[in-house]
Amino acid sequence: MTGEGVRQLYQRWWIALIVVAALFGVLMVPTVLNYEWSTVPPAAAGQPAPISSSVEIGTAFMREYLLPFEIASILLLVALVGAIVIAFEERASRRRVLTLAEEVDLRRRRGEPLAGVSNAAASDTQATKGAQAVKS
């Protein structure tokens, strides 16, 4: 009734695959083709590091380190989506907790006594059952 365990959009997984592949191609192909594959030589002894300010770090991220930066961002995105999927599957597999109204309705259908009945009502019920037993 609640749809637990039913995977929606299961038959259309290939559409998501096509969209992801297209986005991957649009983002990564130009990056890989335009990337300068030269390595930065290490700084010589006595010279300051080539990247020393926040502006230079930002510039380096968008020039020399664009490809590693893009790969790291894609890996983090995949990890985030994977964590969401795992959390959703765990939540769906858990037993659903009934509301108070559902619990009362279920116990009435089964004929079980309701928990939390006051002592006066319980004693009245027992007295009624006792009177019915004496009459029989």
Side-chain angles (χ1 to χ4, degrees), residues 78-123:
V78 167
L80 178 68
V81 170
I84 291 170
V85 168
I86 289 171
F88 180 74
E89 286 177 356
E90 285 180 3
R91 183 176 178 202
S93 67
R94 276 192 239 148
R95 184 177 155 261
R96 192 171 74 86
V97 178
L98 298 176
T99 64
L100 181 60
E102 292 170 334
E103 182 76 27
V104 168
D105 187 43
L106 182 65
R107 287 184 182 219
R108 283 187 179 153
R109 285 190 213 155
R110 290 182 182 167
E112 296 177 6
L114 297 176
V117 176
S118 67
N119 289 339
S123 63

Side-chain angles (χ1 to χ4, degrees), residues 49-80:
I51 299 174
S52 60
S53 72
S54 60
V55 173
E56 290 175 357
I57 290 173
T59 303
F61 271 145
M62 293 300 127
R63 289 192 182 150
E64 294 93 18
Y65 301 108
L66 181 61
L67 182 62
F69 188 69
E70 288 289 330
I71 290 173
S73 66
I74 289 172
L75 288 175
L76 288 172
L77 179 64
V78 167
L80 178 68

Side-chain angles (χ1 to χ4, degrees), residues 7-84:
R7 296 188 83 155
Q8 294 177 352
L9 304 175
Y10 182 73
Q11 289 82 16
R12 291 181 267 172
W13 63 269
W14 56 273
I15 295 173
L17 181 66
I18 291 171
V19 170
V20 168
L23 287 174
F24 183 80
V26 166
L27 292 175
M28 291 305 290
V29 169
T31 302
V32 171
L33 293 178
N34 296 330
Y35 186 74
E36 295 178 18
W37 293 98
S38 62
T39 59
V40 178
Q47 289 185 350
I51 299 174
S52 60
S53 72
S54 60
V55 173
E56 290 175 357
I57 290 173
T59 303
F61 271 145
M62 293 300 127
R63 289 192 182 150
E64 294 93 18
Y65 301 108
L66 181 61
L67 182 62
F69 188 69
E70 288 289 330
I71 290 173
S73 66
I74 289 172
L75 288 175
L76 288 172
L77 179 64
V78 167
L80 178 68
V81 170
I84 291 170

